[in-house]
């Protein structure tokens, strides 16, 4: 599902127009981003968790040249679906 279809579908379910729905989705994205930058986990009961994880700096070797490079630390965001969501998906695929 692409972004436009997602906005249309969500808007119909919550009885909102496209612009209002797109603004809500953008706001949700900003909140999740802000929480991740602060190191907080965002939990949606019945859906899952967005958890920031810090990856430490490391040394990598370029395969062609053999040159060693230092990869800086970074924060990545991982999603872990809830057991309820996993169960719903499993039951619908059968």
């Amino acid at each position: 599902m692409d972004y436009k279809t997602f906005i249309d579908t969500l808007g119909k379910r919550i009885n909102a127009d496209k612009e209002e729905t797109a603004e809500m989705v953008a706001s949700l994205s900003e909140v999740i981003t802000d929480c991740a930058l602060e190191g907080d986990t965002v939990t949606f009961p019945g859906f899952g968790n967005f958890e920031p994880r810090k990856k430490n700096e490391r040394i990598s070797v370029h395969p062609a040249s053999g040159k060693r490079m230092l990869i800086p630390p970074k924060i990545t965001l991982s999603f872990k679906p809830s057991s309820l969501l996993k169960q719903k998906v499993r039951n619908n695929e059968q």
Side-chain angles (χ1 to χ4, degrees):
M1 175 182 291
D2 64 353
Y3 180 75
K4 184 178 178 185
T5 307
F6 174 72
I7 294 297
D8 290 341
T9 305
L10 182 61
K12 287 177 185 173
R13 288 198 182 190
I14 63 173
N15 294 323
D17 61 9
K18 293 178 186 178
E19 293 80 22
E20 189 178 2
T21 306
E23 187 177 314
M24 284 190 261
V25 170
S27 295
L28 176 64
S29 176
E30 288 175 18
V31 169
I32 292 173
T33 301
D34 292 344
C35 290
L37 291 173
E38 293 174 7
D40 296 333
T41 299
V42 178
T43 303
F44 294 100
F47 183 68
N49 301 328
F50 290 95
E51 181 180 358
R53 295 186 182 191
K54 184 176 181 183
K55 294 198 173 195
N56 295 326
E57 69 181 6
R58 60 190 173 90
I59 296 174
S60 177
V61 179
H62 190 280
S65 66
K67 186 176 179 181
R68 298 170 59 104
M69 300 176 289
L70 181 64
I71 308 295
K74 63 181 177 179
I75 296 174
T76 61
L77 193 61
S78 66
F79 175 73
K80 182 178 180 188
S82 72
S83 56
L84 181 62
L85 179 63
K86 288 180 187 178
Q87 182 180 2
K88 285 181 180 180
V89 169
R90 263 190 245 122
N91 290 340
N92 283 336
E93 70 182 22
Q94 296 176 357

